[in-house]
Amino acid sequence: MKRTILITGSAKGLGAAMAVALAKDGHRIALHYSSSHREAEERMKAIQNSGGDGAVFQSPLVSLSDGEKLVGQVVAHFGELDTLINNVGVFNRKRFEELTQEEWDAGFASTASAAFYATRAALPHLRKCRRGRIVNIGDALSDRIGFTEPAMSYYIGKVGVWMMTQTLAHTEAPHKITVNMVSPGVLSESICDTAVEEMPMGRHGTYEDVIHPIRFLLEENSEAVTGSNFHVAGGWNIAPIFSTVLKRAGYTKSPPDDTK
């Protein structure tokens, strides 16, 4: 069964790749952006030229009212919403003592807060359809609390999204909504210094690696899978490999920029 999917932060990077791939699968795509208008329009044009169905929606997504307005526009356009993919996130590789207040706030606001705003607004529609799906995009560190020197507020936000994932998986199960997280590691499109030789599987991850479990979670037969975190890191995040890579990389790991 085809779905109507809102993907936050989908003008560029991983979010854009998800939008294109899921549109090709026949799903209707609500492509969200904050300020990357040109990229969003180009992505939607490519989707429509290939026979896909979708529309572009702009929102800063920094408040509950933003979330409600965004979801309201999506439902007004498509008539329904049954799937939400919380993808947006601002990653700033600066270390703790280098972060400004604005940079600190942006890391948390674009992860945990943005997911909260979008999810709160989407829940009534996901409950109504009785087959709702929420997929939160995490990170290889999102289900653990420990050392992380760069982009601390981003990672704190991702840990919060994981807690939100598990909580909603429990509370929304009676409404037939599944809530899961998909957590990439080092992707070939990432800006990082992690050499291929340091990757346990001998290569960096790809957007398609991340999209594959998302497709699985959207299937009707996946209704019993909820509260899970799908690591898509090829073993890179498993200690002691992960700590070694961090040291060798000089703490410069960065995921793709899907912030706008």
Side-chain angles (χ1 to χ4, degrees), residues 68-84:
E68 292 167 356
K69 181 178 179 180
L70 171 62
V71 170
Q73 291 174 337
V74 171
V75 173
H77 180 86
F78 292 109
E80 64 175 0
L81 176 65
D82 54 55
T83 303
L84 171 65

Side-chain angles (χ1 to χ4, degrees), residues 78-97:
F78 292 109
E80 64 175 0
L81 176 65
D82 54 55
T83 303
L84 171 65
I85 300 179
N86 286 307
N87 170 71
V88 67
V90 175
F91 184 98
N92 191 313
R93 69 175 64 198
K94 290 183 179 180
R95 301 185 183 190
F96 183 83
E97 70 275 13

Side-chain angles (χ1 to χ4, degrees), residues 141-206:
L141 281 175
S142 57
D143 61 354
R144 66 183 69 181
I145 298 176
F147 171 81
T148 173
E149 191 164 354
M152 183 175 287
S153 62
Y154 169 89
Y155 284 117
I156 290 174
K158 289 297 186 181
V159 172
V161 173
W162 172 229
M163 182 180 294
M164 192 185 307
T165 299
Q166 293 184 298
T167 300
L168 293 178
H170 175 76
T171 61
E172 297 308 312
H175 300 286
K176 307 302 181 183
I177 300 172
T178 69
V179 189
N180 294 283
M181 177 174 278
V182 175
S183 296
V186 180
L187 304 181
S188 57
E189 295 82 0
S190 298
I191 303 171
C192 66
D193 297 329
T194 305
V196 171
E197 292 75 20
E198 295 173 326
M199 300 298 294
M201 65 178 176
R203 68 172 177 85
H204 293 122
T206 66

Side-chain angles (χ1 to χ4, degrees), residues 91-153:
F91 184 98
N92 191 313
R93 69 175 64 198
K94 290 183 179 180
R95 301 185 183 190
F96 183 83
E97 70 275 13
E98 299 171 333
L99 288 170
T100 65
Q101 179 176 331
E102 291 179 349
E103 291 166 341
W104 171 270
D105 291 344
F108 188 83
S110 65
T111 49
S113 293
F116 169 69
Y117 301 142
T119 304
R120 268 285 301 271
L123 272 180
H125 304 281
L126 303 185
R127 288 172 175 174
K128 180 180 178 180
C129 73
R130 304 293 290 179
R131 63 186 192 97
R133 297 287 189 271
I134 299 174
V135 180
N136 295 319
I137 302 303
D139 183 273
L141 281 175
S142 57
D143 61 354
R144 66 183 69 181
I145 298 176
F147 171 81
T148 173
E149 191 164 354
M152 183 175 287
S153 62

